[in-house]
């Protein structure tokens, strides 16, 4: 997918982010990532609120997303605790599917997006 270097993230977008997680202002092990692709949506496998918190932010912006780890989180030192993730939105992905993409995909015989969607 093509990366866009401007725009504002909305629910459903695929984005690329850098992030650093902190508990009480101190970075914790395993709480950071660079160049991570995520979908701005709930139920993505991340802590509830992590990905949804990206919505409304623009490419190039650095912002904080506050989340609370679930009580049953696998790491007992984080379970039930509030964390702040400082994120930078690096890019939005252009996820528009075109007729050309559908036609050239080798595992189908559809002639365009509308035929593929109807199937």
């Amino acid at each position: 997918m093509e990366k866009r270097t401007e725009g504002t993230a909305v629910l459903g977008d695929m984005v690329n982010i850098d992030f650093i997680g902190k508990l009480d202002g101190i970075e914790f092990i395993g709480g950071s990532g660079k160049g991570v692709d995520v979908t701005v949506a709930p139920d993505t496998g991340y802590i509830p609120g992590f990905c949804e918190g990206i919505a409304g932010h623009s490419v190039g912006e650095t912002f904080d997303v506050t989340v609370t780890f679930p009580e049953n989180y696998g790491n007992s030192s984080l379970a039930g605790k509030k964390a702040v993730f400082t994120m930078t939105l690096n890019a939005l992905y252009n996820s528009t599917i075109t007729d050309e993409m559908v036609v050239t995909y080798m595992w189908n015989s559809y002639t365009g997006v509308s035929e593929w969607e109807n199937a």
Side-chain angles (χ1 to χ4, degrees), residues 5-51:
T5 56
E6 52 186 35
T8 301
V10 297
L11 287 176
D13 280 347
M14 171 80 77
V15 300
N16 182 277
I17 60 170
D18 297 337
F19 62 90
I20 298 173
K22 296 178 182 175
L23 292 173
D24 298 322
I26 300 169
E27 186 175 344
F28 59 91
I29 295 172
S32 64
K34 284 196 171 284
V36 178
D37 294 334
V38 298
T39 301
V40 182
D43 302 323
T44 58
Y46 286 87
I47 303 158
F50 181 90
C51 291

Side-chain angles (χ1 to χ4, degrees), residues 17-98:
I17 60 170
D18 297 337
F19 62 90
I20 298 173
K22 296 178 182 175
L23 292 173
D24 298 322
I26 300 169
E27 186 175 344
F28 59 91
I29 295 172
S32 64
K34 284 196 171 284
V36 178
D37 294 334
V38 298
T39 301
V40 182
D43 302 323
T44 58
Y46 286 87
I47 303 158
F50 181 90
C51 291
E52 302 96 298
I54 300 167
H57 295 282
S58 300
V59 174
E61 183 180 351
T62 298
F63 54 93
D64 290 338
V65 174
T66 302
V67 300
T68 301
F69 283 91
E71 291 291 337
N72 62 350
Y73 193 70
N75 180 337
S76 61
S77 67
L78 298 174
K81 295 192 177 166
K82 188 178 283 190
V84 175
F85 286 89
T86 299
M87 300 184 181
T88 299
L89 180 54
N90 300 320
L92 299 170
Y93 287 100
N94 182 359
S95 59
T96 303
I97 298 173
T98 65

